[in-house]
């Protein structure tokens, strides 16, 4: 059973570029081992992340993220069973919204800033779909079928 979970969070402190790269590297290493794909968007201290994979694996990873002391205001925006992945080519794609045309954010929000707390989960997911269409997500990798079958032993 595949699921998609979309959540928002705020960084407790400033996240350095090096720390962001470390988080991304860990995700890209660990996620294929447990069959997780997705995308992470950041703008300042605001994060919007979509996780896709098996129900148990996605739930376990989200539960770890929710108690991570680097996050606050962790909120599920959308959770649904899915028949196919939207982010199958990304063990964890990355979008730095500070480098995206502000008009794209205005398409889905009242302001040209990332505010997943002020829009619906549907609007946030539409933003991610639009970013895919525009090629704004970086870090495309394949999720190997053998990796997707491995047990959920390693987490982000």
């Amino acid at each position: 059973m595949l699921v998609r979970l979309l959540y928002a969070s705020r960084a407790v402190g400033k996240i350095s570029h090096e720390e962001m790269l470390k988080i991304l590297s860990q995700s890209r290493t660990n996620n294929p081992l447990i069959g997780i794909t997705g995308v992470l968007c950041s703008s300042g201290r605001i994060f919007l992340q979509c996780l896709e994979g098996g129900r148990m694996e996605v739930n376990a990873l989200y539960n770890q993220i929710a108690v991570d002391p680097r996050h606050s205001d962790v909120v599920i925006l959308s959770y649904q069973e899915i028949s196919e992945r939207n982010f199958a080519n990304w063990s964890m794609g990355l979008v730095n919204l500070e480098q995206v045309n502000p008009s794209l954010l205005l398409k889905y929000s009242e302001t040209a800033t990332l505010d997943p707390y002020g829009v619906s989960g549907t609007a946030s997911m539409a933003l991610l779909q639009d970013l895919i269409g525009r090629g704004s997500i970086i870090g495309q990798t394949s999720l190997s079928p053998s990796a997707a079958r491995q047990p959920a032993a390693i987490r982000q």
Side-chain angles (χ1 to χ4, degrees):
M1 167 74 54
L2 287 175
V3 298
R4 178 179 303 123
L5 185 149
L6 180 66
Y7 76 91
S9 68
R10 286 187 173 88
V12 170
K14 184 174 173 33
I15 301 289
S16 70
H17 180 71
E18 292 76 22
E19 188 170 3
M20 178 64 79
L21 292 177
K22 181 180 174 187
I23 292 168
L24 193 61
S25 176
Q26 289 173 337
S27 296
R28 288 179 177 162
T29 298
N30 296 337
N31 288 352
L33 299 175
I34 56 173
I36 299 280
T37 58
V39 64
L40 173 64
C41 293
S42 69
S43 181
R45 292 180 43 224
I46 301 291
F47 291 91
L48 175 66
Q49 185 169 33
C50 181
L51 303 171
E52 297 176 326
R55 181 183 312 198
M56 298 302 289
E57 291 78 12
V58 168
N59 290 347
L61 181 55
Y62 172 78
N63 287 333
Q64 286 183 344
I65 291 166
V67 298
D68 185 324
R70 297 173 293 185
H71 295 271
S72 68
D73 303 326
V74 182
V75 175
I76 294 176
L77 304 173
S78 175
Y79 185 94
Q80 61 192 52
E81 295 176 352
I82 57 174
S83 58
E84 63 183 36
R85 298 171 191 252
N86 285 340
F87 305 104
N89 293 326
W90 292 277
S91 57
M92 189 51 58
L94 177 66
V95 177
N96 181 345
L97 287 176
E98 293 170 357
Q99 298 176 358
V100 171
N101 188 328
S103 66
L104 179 61
L105 294 171
L106 280 172
K107 182 176 177 181
Y108 299 102
S109 180
E110 295 176 13
T111 64
T113 59
L114 178 63
D115 182 16
Y117 300 100
V119 300
S120 69
T122 302
S124 293
M125 186 55 69
L127 171 63
L128 294 178
Q129 294 292 347
D130 211 338
L131 290 165
I132 290 173
R134 295 171 187 256
S136 299
I137 299 175
I138 60 169
Q140 187 168 351
T141 60
S142 295
L143 177 64
S144 71
S146 61
R149 288 191 297 268
Q150 292 183 7
I154 301 177
R155 303 281 185 229
Q156 178 179 18

